[in-house]
Amino acid sequence: MDWYTSVFELIDMRSFSNLWFWVALAVLWSSASHWVLGVPWDMVLRAGRVGGQPAADMETMVRINSERILYITRESGVLMTGFAGFVLTFLFLVGFVYGREFAQAVFLLGTPMALVWLLSVGTAGRVQRQELSDAALIKQLTRLRFYIRLIGMASIFVTATWGMWQNMSSSALGG
């Protein structure tokens, strides 16, 4: 038995039984809830607590990132939406109709992130339209982070439930 075979017997390379998939899921949602509109959450907290220059820095970052998000959306929003819809539909069909676990895993990562992107675009537009600043801006970012965390919790629950089902099904079938 060679090294390659030993490693693949030791580490199950299917998505839902692979430790690296769960690490990636945790990192994905940790990052999504930490970076709200491209601004680190600790910067938002510091801006609310201290005010002054930290608040001005946060507002500048939000303004820059909001403009960037809206520019991307204006320039290629229809194309991105169509492509994302195609990819997610493809992953759904390959994963759930044809039973490919990798496609299921990527679909369960990508679909909630598409929702996060839509929420971020909406929030960026609201920040720019209403010219939010100070406490109103922090409140809007807090609300966005809350919704991102709700989506993340639901996503982790659904993914963990589906992953356990897949793992139990494959072990019941003998591999």
Side-chain angles (χ1 to χ4, degrees), residues 75-169:
E75 292 297 315
S76 58
V78 172
L79 184 64
M80 282 177 29
T81 303
F83 184 71
F86 170 77
V87 169
L88 291 174
T89 301
F90 174 80
L91 289 170
F92 178 81
L93 291 174
V94 170
F96 295 99
V97 174
Y98 293 105
R100 297 292 176 214
E101 192 173 304
F102 181 75
Q104 293 171 3
V106 176
F107 178 82
L108 290 171
L109 291 173
T111 302
M113 289 310 293
L115 295 174
V116 168
W117 173 255
L118 290 173
L119 281 174
S120 296
V121 169
T123 302
R126 193 170 305 111
V127 165
Q128 194 175 62
R129 267 191 322 276
Q130 297 175 1
E131 297 178 0
L132 298 177
S133 62
D134 301 326
L137 178 59
I138 292 171
K139 182 178 179 182
Q140 191 65 46
L141 293 176
T142 302
R143 183 177 297 131
L144 176 61
R145 184 172 191 244
F146 175 75
Y147 289 131
I148 289 171
R149 292 175 91 186
L150 276 180
I151 293 169
M153 287 188 305
S155 171
I156 290 168
F157 176 77
V158 168
T159 303
T161 303
W162 184 256
M164 285 187 287
W165 174 258
Q166 290 295 97
N167 287 336
M168 289 188 311
S169 297

